[in-house]
Each structure stands twice: as C-alpha cells, then as structure tokens.
Amino acid sequence: MTKILVVDDDIDMALATRMALEEGGYTVVEARNSLEGLEMLKKEEPDLIVLDVMMETNTAGFQAALTIRNPDPKSEYAAFRNIPIIMLTAIHETTEMKFTPDGEFLPVNAFIDKPIEPTKFLAKVRELIEQKETSN
Amino acid sequence: MSRLQEAPHLPIELGRGLLPIDTAVNNRRLILTRWVVGLAVLGGTWFGTYGLDLILPEGVLYTLGILILCYNVPIWFLTRRWEIMSVRTGRACPRVCPLVLVQVALDGLCLTVFVHWTGGITSPALVFFFLHAVMVILLLPGWVAYAYDVIVMIAIGSVTLLELTGILPHYVVLSGLPADLHTDGSFITSRLIFFGAALFGISMVTASVMAPMRQRERLLSAIFHTTSAVSSTLDKNTVLQRLVDNTAEALNVQGITLRLVEPNGYELRLAITHGTDYLKDEVINVNESPAYKRAIKGELVFVERYDFYRYLPFVSPRSGIISVVLVPIIGRRPLGIIVLYATRYLSDTPYLRHFLKAIADEGAIAIENALTHQALQNAEKQREQFVRVFTHELRSPVVGAQSLLRVVIANPNISVERLRDILERLNRRMDNLLSLINDLLALASSKARDFQEQLKPIDMTQMTKSVAQDYLYQCEEKRIRLSVDVNVSPIHIMATTEGLHLIINNLIGNAIKYTPDGGNVWVQLNCDENHHARLTVRDTGIGIPVDALGSLGQEFYRASNARESGIMGTGLGLATVYQHVSHLDGHIKVTSEINKGTTFEIRLPTHAMPVPN
C-alpha cells in the first residue's frame, strides 16, 4: 500500500490533507515539524512527502526539502534523495526565501496552493507516484 | 562631443606639492606667451634692423624666432590632447608637470642663446629672465624656481666667461656702448650681482605669494571633494573615508582618525583611519583626556607635543608627532571627533579653523544623512515584516478552514462523528481568526481612542480564569501543562474590559506561544502587601535576552531569539500590554533566563468595592 508522509504544524490542515489522501486510498503518516518529519522519513519510508513551508521557522519546509535532496552521497537521507515532494504553500505568499516556480533550482516536484482542492491534489499525487513507479 | 565637454574646464585635482590644475592652467598661458614671443623675436629683429638701424645677427635671430614657434606646435598639440583626455577621464593628466619642465628648459636655453647673440652680459634682453622666472614660479613649486635661478646664473656667468676669454664671439647690438664693455671686470661683477639679486628677489616675493594661494586652493579643493562625496553616496563609511583622505592630503598630515560617539555619549569608537593611527585603542573614554573632553563639547582643540602628557595622555611624546588637532563633528548632538596628527607644527590660523569647521560640518551632514537613511530602511524592513506576518496569520485560519470544507464537500460518505469533529475545528479556527482581528482592532482603536474610554471596576479573578480556560485546547495541542492559581475571592481593578482582557490574554498567550512542546506555564493572581493585584505568568519558554528586556514595550520590537525561533509574532502584543498597564497606573516586571523561561509580573491598583447591604 502506498504510504504518504504529511508534515504540517497545523493540525486542521494536516487532517484535511490526510482525509483527501485517505479518500484516494493512500496510507497517511503525520509529522508536526520538519525534524519530526525527517525522523519519520527514515522510520516509515514513505512513497511521497507532503510538506508545509512555514512551520517552526518561516522556511522550515524548504530547509527540510533541501536536506532530503542533499547530493552528498554520505547524507543521512541519501536513500530518499529522489522521493517525490509536494510542497503545500501559497507560493505567492512572501517568504524570506526568494523562490520562483521557474527558478533554477527547486528542491521539490510540485507546489500545491493552500487551501487544497482535493481532486487536483489527488491527481498530482497520483501523477507523481506513477512517475516514480515507472522510473523504478 | 558637446560644447560643454569641449570647454577647457579641468577637473580640480589634489596632489602633493604640485597642483596639476594650477600647472595646467598656467601651461596654457605659457604656450600662448610663446606664440607671442616667437612672433616678437621675428618682428623685433626686423624692426631693430630696419627701424632702429641696430647691428643685429639677423639670420640667427630669425632662426631662433622660427625655432621657438616650431617647438611650440607639438607642445600646444600635446597639451590640447591631454586636456580633452582629462575632461573625459575626470582626472588631470600628471604628465603636464614633466612637459612644463621640458618647456622651461627649452625656453631658458633659447633665452640664453638670444642673450648671447644680443650682447651677452651687455644685452638689453637680460631682463626677460625676470619675466621667465615669474612664469616658472607660477607653474612649478618653489624649489624648482630657485633651482631655475641658480641654473640661469650659471648659464649667464658661463656665456660671459666664454665671451670674456674669446672662446665665444661677442656681439655688439647697442652702438652707444663701449665695444669692450664685456671685458670690464667691475661692470661684469656689478651687473651679475644686481641681476642675480633681482632674480632671486623676484622668485622669493612671487613664491611667498603663491604658497598660501596654493595651500588655499588645496583646502578648497578638499572641501569641494568632500561635499561632492557627501552628495554622491549615502554610505557613511565611504563618505567619511573620503573626507579623512582629502583632509590628510590637503593639510599634508601624517595620520587622521575619525571616531564616532557611542550611544552612551562618553565613549568614542574608531570608524575611519588614514595613515598612521597613533592610538591603537578601538574605543576611548573622553573623560580620560581633557582634550577630548573639550572637543566633545564642540571646541576645536590644538595640542602641541609639550602638552601631550597633560591633555592627550594616549599620545606618546616619542611618537614623532608635533601637533595634534581635535576637530569636533557636531550635528544635532555630538557625533564624533576627527583627530589630526602632524609631524610638523600646525599653526592655529583662522583660515585653518574655517577649513576644519567646514570639513567637520560635511562630516556631520554625512553621518546624519546615513543615520536617517538607516532609520528609514529599518522602518521599511519592519513594515515589510509586519505585512508578511499578518498576511500569513490572517490567511492561515481561513486556508485551514477552507481546506477542511473542500475535503468534506468532496467526500459524500463522511461519517457524522468526523463531520462533527470538523465542525468543531472550523468553529475554533473562526474563533482564532476573530481574536486575531480583535487584536488588530484593539491596537488600532487603543491608538485611535487614546484610552479615552471610561474605566470601571472589573473582577480580575474571573477574567484570568476565563482567559486561561480559552487556552486549554492550545495547551493540550502543545502538551503544555497550564497551572492556574487564582485567588478565590474577586479582585476588582479599575480598567476597561477590552484593556484588561488584552493584558491577561497577551501574557498567557505569549507564555504558551514561546514555550516549546511539553513545557510548563504557571498563572498566579493574588493581592500584594500594598493592595495591588499581582498577576504572575511564568513559563519554561525560550526566554528573553537581557539586552532586549528594556525594549519589550516598543511596537514591532521582537527579541532576537524570538525572531530567529521562527515563531510568528508581530511585536505588537507586548507593546499594547505595556501601553495598557501604564494607562492603568500599573507596573510590569520581567525576569528571564535564556532557554529556561520568563516571568512577567504585573501589579495593578485594586478598587475597593462597596459592601452590598
């Protein structure tokens, strides 16, 4: 069964995400902050991560994504480097980190705008999971 | 190229000893004079021969005139090219000076030849050397002029000697003079002595006029450069560095330091150095030096070597420094002190005082401009941060609620229990949103109304319990143990409901917000010995740095660790608390330890309620 890790400090957002994903037939594990998220990643070995941006810091989500994508082969998370990541955010919301959707480096596979639209969200999750399976 | 650029305007340039601007302008004058001289030699020879019936060596003199005109052509051409170049690059061409030296040498040689062919020591043309000597002083620094005088004396002496001994022929131009006058010892001696004395006299007089003029031009130029630096950039350090460099070059001093007054008003911190810094200390206390103490009060202070031990204990008398000048920079308050170290005696003249005052005023403008600019930038940054945080805080409750609603709509088979849970969550989110909006309104209205609302007795006990109750869910979420120890009997204080709620709500809310998961928050309310209500909110949170404790009442202020922690905040909550507490004649005491926790203690005067009959 496909397992998805949801990292969000907002319990209501996390519930909405969980319900949408469970409706699509996925198993969901939750973490409340980026550190817990990274721990869960190693423990649960999910197939996809849904990350919030602003958690314990304004850019905690981005930092977590960068940690996972770290190209260093000795990285703790080297095994998960290619895991699909969906970032839940309002990309137009000003953060202290200047990221643009067509920027030269993005540590994530997709941005989904908050509030989430369950159908679109699930479609994106399915697309990424399928991509991952074909590439395997 | 536009007309304006072509105009012979040369940039003012500073130099040591020589001023190329001066030289460049006079160089043009020299070239012009040479055209006239060349033509005058040609015309004069013709007129002397045919008009005055003089016996002139026509051929030689015509050749000389043409030669002068000829070598003037490349000089004129080169100078013009360099001028155009220097206008383009904005710098005077330093090669003007060697060119002037070459010209002086050529002219001197031609003049000597002219003198020889017009009678040597008896030549009436000898006086032209005086004119030439003046030209040299206008163009070149004093020592060159004296060297020129010596060379001229040697040249004339040699010509005279060679003519006397018959090695060179002697030409008689003025027929009235005795033919053997050039061999008359007493004539030669007296002529050479008078000529030499006049030549050196002219050089000395002209040089003594020129030197202060050059110095003034240097000072003016330094002020000009400093002013343009002040108006060209807002970067304080760039301006001050240029100010100090220009001053050092203009006054030819060995070292300059610029120290800025620290916020405490009695310490000076090193900001800019030029040349040797004779004081190694980064920060100096003005009270340790009488000279600094006087300067900080706005006085220009000149100190000489023998007074160092008394006025400037920091400067060693063995450092080679003779004079030290302290120039205060005074804006709306004392801003700093410029200190000049010179290995020569700097005399206290009104002109130097005016110059130093002008430089210090420019410095004051630069510093104040920079401070204003910095304050504006900080305000802008704070505003941006404020907008960012509030956008996020206002959006979050709505975004979460909307996401839940959409999931419910998309899921027709949702259970009643789940639906109920979601409705409760939505309700709570709306409550949060409302309280956030209320906070904003409270801030806006407390500012607008300026606390004009009538105070009435309010039971603080009840209010504290109710506020603490509102936070139970949040504490549960963060696994924070909230202990509430509140007096059973009511404690009445004179306040407005909104005002008191805001105080208690903010303190408890902050305690929970800045306490990591699993921590503790204690809320205690009782009456102290002076019948004041004492509300104590203690937490095991991130704490507040000691240096931030004094600024907590400032709007938008957030302690560094709070900002870095990433915990959302606007820096408005505590500011409003401070405003309200002071309005209610209360006091706030904060004690904190980083990563251990914070205790806020608020005392408010109680109101004795009339006992009901």
Side-chain angles (χ1 to χ4, degrees):
Chain A
M1 196 150 187
T2 316
K3 197 191 275 179
I4 294 174
L5 170 63
V6 174
V7 189
D8 201 323
D9 62 338
D10 182 332
I11 46 171
D12 297 339
M13 266 315 296
L15 177 68
T17 318
R18 168 189 279 273
M19 283 172 68
L21 290 170
E22 282 176 350
E23 190 61 21
Y26 298 108
T27 310
V28 176
V29 283
E30 279 183 43
R32 283 284 160 271
N33 58 51
S34 59
L35 285 179
E36 204 181 314
L38 290 172
E39 283 305 307
M40 291 280 260
L41 177 65
K42 284 193 285 191
K43 205 172 84 190
E44 299 283 343
E45 300 183 1
D47 300 279
L48 184 143
I49 306 176
V50 179
L51 254 181
D52 182 28
V53 181
M54 287 191 174
M55 288 184 287
E56 65 271 30
T57 70
N58 286 350
T59 53
F62 277 121
Q63 305 293 0
L66 287 170
T67 310
I68 298 166
R69 293 281 195 257
N70 185 0
D72 183 358
K74 282 187 271 233
S75 156
E76 251 184 284
Y77 306 98
F80 307 100
R81 191 177 303 133
N82 298 319
I83 191 170
I85 301 177
I86 294 181
M87 192 140 267
L88 268 193
T89 180
I91 187 67
H92 49 267
E93 200 173 80
T94 341
T95 63
E96 274 156 20
M97 237 179 196
K98 303 280 180 230
F99 273 101
T100 51
D102 53 352
E104 49 184 77
F105 173 69
L106 274 183
V108 300
N109 301 69
F111 281 99
I112 297 277
D113 248 358
K114 281 182 186 179
I116 54 165
E117 186 66 66
T119 339
K120 277 190 201 164
F121 175 55
L122 271 182
K124 183 50 90 179
V125 171
R126 270 196 204 106
E127 186 194 315
L128 290 175
I129 297 271
E130 272 165 28
Q131 264 179 25
K132 189 193 173 203
E133 278 163 7
T134 11
S135 67
N136 283 349
Chain B
M1 190 186 277
S2 72
R3 268 177 66 94
L4 192 72
Q5 276 175 310
E6 260 184 321
H9 160 80
L10 284 169
I12 296 175
E13 190 64 31
L14 284 166
R16 285 191 188 279
L18 267 186
L19 280 175
I21 171 67
D22 211 13
T23 316
V25 170
N26 287 322
N27 183 35
R28 250 183 277 140
R29 195 173 293 146
L30 188 66
I31 293 166
L32 188 70
T33 315
R34 194 171 300 112
W35 292 125
V36 177
V37 168
L39 292 173
V41 169
L42 294 177
T45 309
W46 179 82
F47 183 72
T49 315
Y50 300 103
L52 302 174
D53 280 334
L54 300 175
I55 323 134
L56 294 174
E58 279 173 79
V60 175
L61 294 184
Y62 283 132
T63 315
L64 194 65
I66 290 165
L67 187 74
I68 291 172
L69 292 175
C70 280
Y71 75 70
N72 205 27
V73 172
I75 292 170
W76 170 79
F77 183 75
L78 255 179
T79 307
R80 221 186 122 66
R81 248 186 78 122
W82 285 352
E83 279 183 9
I84 291 169
M85 244 168 61
S86 75
V87 169
R88 267 195 212 144
T89 57
R91 299 187 71 81
C93 186
R95 279 176 296 181
V96 170
C97 295
L99 182 68
V100 168
L101 277 173
V102 169
Q103 291 178 73
V104 166
L106 282 172
D107 290 345
L109 195 67
C110 286
L111 193 52
T112 313
V113 171
F114 186 72
V115 164
H116 165 63
W117 285 89
T118 54
I121 192 75
T122 67
S123 169
L126 214 52
V127 289
F128 281 129
F129 275 109
F130 300 146
L131 184 69
H132 199 221
V134 173
M135 273 303 211
V136 170
I137 293 193
L138 290 179
L139 283 159
L140 299 163
W143 67 268
V144 179
Y146 295 118
Y148 169 83
D149 291 349
V150 171
I151 293 167
V152 167
M153 286 310 291
I154 292 170
I156 296 301
S158 309
V159 168
T160 309
L161 194 68
L162 292 173
E163 285 182 22
L164 178 71
T165 51
I167 298 171
L168 276 180
H170 174 70
Y171 300 96
V172 180
V173 181
L174 300 170
S175 49
L177 292 178
D180 59 350
L181 192 60
H182 69 284
T183 56
D184 183 337
S186 61
F187 172 77
I188 292 173
T189 316
S190 61
R191 182 96 166 151
L192 279 178
I193 288 173
F194 280 103
F195 174 75
L199 193 66
F200 280 99
I202 283 172
S203 293
M204 266 158 72
V205 171
T206 322
S208 66
V209 174
M210 280 306 290
M213 276 173 64
R214 287 222 167 97
Q215 172 67 2
R216 279 180 201 192
E217 188 174 347
R218 258 205 298 274
L219 299 189
L220 277 177
S221 176
I223 295 175
F224 168 80
H225 275 284
T226 310
T227 314
S228 46
V230 169
S231 50
S232 68
T233 170
L234 276 168
D235 181 41
K236 186 178 68 186
N237 285 354
T238 311
V239 175
L240 295 182
Q241 186 69 56
R242 280 194 222 163
L243 178 146
V244 161
D245 293 348
N246 291 340
T247 311
E249 282 206 60
L251 294 175
N252 195 16
V253 291
Q254 281 57 50
I256 297 191
T257 57
L258 194 154
R259 283 186 161 76
L260 295 177
V261 177
E262 291 277 274
N264 59 27
Y266 62 86
E267 275 181 331
L268 294 164
R269 182 174 290 279
L270 185 66
I272 307 285
T273 325
H274 175 102
T276 321
D277 181 11
Y278 293 92
L279 279 186
K280 296 285 171 248
D281 300 339
E282 183 81 9
V283 178
I284 52 178
N285 188 334
V286 290
N287 296 322
E288 287 169 22
S289 147
Y292 275 89
K293 216 169 168 177
R294 271 161 61 188
I296 202 91
K297 286 180 186 146
E299 198 184 325
L300 194 67
V301 186
F302 285 76
V303 189
E304 280 167 47
R305 184 166 40 171
Y306 307 107
D307 288 333
F308 285 170
Y309 74 97
R310 207 150 25 119
Y311 295 109
L312 281 172
F314 318 117
V315 184
S316 157
R318 282 190 297 276
S319 56
I321 294 298
I322 308 271
S323 282
V324 174
V325 186
L326 289 89
V327 190
I329 306 176
I330 311 282
R332 274 163 287 191
R333 59 180 176 83
L335 297 169
I337 295 181
I338 306 174
V339 184
L340 284 72
Y341 300 93
T343 49
R344 66 194 161 86
Y345 178 65
L346 275 180
S347 57
D348 179 2
T349 62
Y351 197 82
L352 183 61
R353 278 182 173 263
H354 285 155
F355 168 72
L356 293 173
K357 172 92 174 58
I359 286 286
D361 285 349
E362 292 298 334
I365 293 171
I367 295 165
E368 291 201 329
N369 277 354
L371 290 176
T372 314
H373 181 64
Q374 210 166 23
L376 283 175
Q377 272 188 326
N378 286 350
E380 178 59 20
K381 242 186 227 161
Q382 279 183 343
R383 197 193 63 81
E384 271 176 25
Q385 168 73 9
F386 175 73
V387 169
R388 185 161 51 220
V389 169
F390 260 109
T391 317
H392 180 83
E393 295 253 307
L394 279 173
R395 279 178 55 91
S396 294
V398 181
V399 161
Q402 216 172 355
S403 299
L404 281 172
L405 279 174
R406 286 181 185 177
V407 171
V408 170
I409 292 165
N411 186 348
N413 307 321
I414 192 161
S415 70
V416 179
E417 295 79 42
R418 200 3 89 82
L419 197 58
R420 205 177 166 75
D421 170 43
I422 287 175
L423 285 176
E424 272 169 15
R425 285 167 186 259
L426 290 178
N427 186 37
R428 207 175 53 244
R429 280 193 103 83
M430 291 304 115
D431 282 348
N432 281 349
L433 182 58
L434 192 63
S435 80
L436 182 66
I437 293 171
N438 284 342
D439 265 7
L440 258 180
L441 289 178
L443 175 81
S445 72
S446 70
K447 286 222 155 223
R449 280 179 303 166
D450 201 19
F451 304 106
Q452 274 171 4
E453 205 176 309
Q454 194 66 45
L455 303 182
K456 56 180 192 236
I458 295 168
D459 180 8
M460 200 167 167
T461 309
Q462 189 52 43
M463 177 84 85
T464 309
K465 278 183 191 161
S466 131
V467 172
Q469 191 77 27
D470 292 345
Y471 278 103
L472 283 179
Y473 190 86
Q474 205 175 322
C475 287
E476 202 178 307
E477 247 181 17
K478 287 187 77 178
R479 302 192 297 276
I480 286 176
R481 280 178 299 282
L482 176 66
S483 331
V484 184
D485 171 16
V486 174
N487 206 335
V488 270
S489 53
I491 298 173
H492 285 95
I493 65 152
M494 291 298 285
T496 60
T497 316
E498 293 80 21
L500 188 62
H501 184 271
L502 187 142
I503 295 171
I504 303 170
N505 189 49
N506 261 303
L507 289 183
I508 299 179
N510 275 350
I512 294 166
K513 187 154 94 173
Y514 293 106
T515 297
D517 291 11
N520 283 298
V521 173
W522 295 271
V523 178
Q524 197 179 34
L525 177 71
N526 50 30
C527 262
D528 71 358
E529 58 283 8
N530 299 322
H531 303 289
H532 276 57
R534 179 170 57 193
L535 173 69
T536 314
V537 180
R538 189 154 66 88
D539 64 47
T540 55
I542 60 170
I544 303 166
V546 180
D547 60 335
L549 289 176
S551 310
L552 295 177
Q554 284 173 22
E555 278 173 17
F556 301 112
Y557 180 83
R558 297 192 74 208
S560 54
N561 62 335
R563 281 200 309 272
E564 283 154 17
S565 70
I567 299 168
M568 287 294 165
T570 57
L572 288 172
L574 269 184
T576 342
V577 168
Y578 273 73
Q579 284 171 14
H580 278 270
V581 170
S582 111
H583 178 60
L584 301 177
D585 290 328
H587 299 282
I588 302 184
K589 198 175 116 190
V590 195
T591 45
S592 187
E593 205 177 330
I594 290 290
N595 294 328
K596 289 273 170 65
T598 305
T599 306
F600 274 89
E601 189 183 287
I602 289 185
R603 285 166 200 253
L604 294 167
T606 47
H607 174 75
M609 289 295 281
V611 182
N613 291 327

